[in-house]
Every structure is written in C-alpha cells, then in structure tokens.
Amino acid sequence: MTAAPTLPRLGLAASGWLALLATLLPEASPLRVATVTVFLLVCPGLAAVLALRPAAARGMPRYAVLEAALLSLVLGLAMATLAAVGLFLGGVFTATRGLLVLAVLTSVLALLPRRHGEREQAGEVQSGGGESGGRGGP
C-alpha cells in the first residue's frame, strides 16, 4: 500500500501552479519574479530528488542535506533547460508553456507513490553485497 500524500509533497506539487498563477501579475513585479525564480531553481529538482531517493526526505547527515540541495538545483536547471529546448524545437516556446510543462512534471514527481521507502523500512530491500557471483554465476 502507498501512504497518503503528506503536506510537504502536496505543497511541492502545488508550487508550479502557484508560479503559473504568478504570471498573471504585472511584468517585472517583484512577487512574480521571486515566485517564478524560486520555483525554477528549487521545486522541479527537489521533486525529482525526492522521487528518485525517497530516503532523502528522512533524517540525513548534514553533508547529505547539502548534497541533496545541490542535486536539486542542478536537476531543476537541467529539467528547465530540457523543457525549453523541447518547446523551442517544436516551435511553440513561451515562458508560460515552459512553466506549464515544469508544473505538470513537478506535480507528477511530487505525487508519485513512495514504494521504495516503505520496502526499505520493512527490511525487504537487501544490500548489494550478496554472495552471488557478479556475472551470472552461482
């Protein structure tokens, strides 16, 4: 069974839609610029990190928090770049469409069920240092 979405995951899923809503504010409005910038730099990458490494949401050592933050930033910028390039190549790029693509992607990643974390907590996942041979042998 999957756990119900928690409040931080729902907030992360809603962040893209909030940034998209902020585009209705006047151009160069400080609130619009701040909202969209924070979303682009943090939210898509954080959603990807949490989807790929569910253990990152629980207690981590101090260096792992920095690692997750840097990975979130880099993944977010990469996702924004890929979305923009895809829209440019399709000939349909606008800032609003780019934000829409990232908002959908962030929502999907943030709301994915967390099955890996549940298995790890239950002790079902075993370490890779087993006794079997590495090349298919016994």
Side-chain angles (χ1 to χ4, degrees):
M1 288 284 146
T2 59
T6 60
L7 190 59
R9 286 175 55 196
L10 290 174
L12 186 59
S15 64
W17 305 107
L18 181 67
L20 203 56
L21 188 63
T23 60
L24 298 176
L25 295 171
E27 291 184 18
S29 164
L31 183 60
R32 177 181 175 164
V33 171
T35 304
V36 171
T37 301
V38 168
F39 169 72
L40 289 175
L41 291 178
V42 176
C43 297
L46 182 59
V49 167
L50 292 178
L52 297 173
R53 296 186 346 179
R58 292 187 295 279
M60 299 188 301
R62 183 179 253 162
Y63 68 88
V65 173
L66 180 61
E67 175 187 336
L70 184 60
L71 187 57
S72 295
L73 176 70
V74 171
L75 277 175
L77 292 174
M79 291 166 60
T81 302
L82 287 173
V85 167
L87 290 171
F88 268 122
L89 290 176
V92 293
F93 178 80
T94 64
T96 305
R97 286 183 184 147
L99 274 175
L100 179 65
V101 168
L102 290 172
V104 168
L105 191 58
T106 301
S107 294
V108 168
L109 288 172
L111 297 177
L112 279 176
R114 299 287 195 265
R115 295 188 56 137
H116 298 296
E118 292 173 4
R119 287 191 324 189
E120 290 171 3
Q121 288 177 352
E124 296 175 18
V125 176
Q126 300 191 8
S127 65
E131 297 174 356
S132 64
R135 299 202 178 193

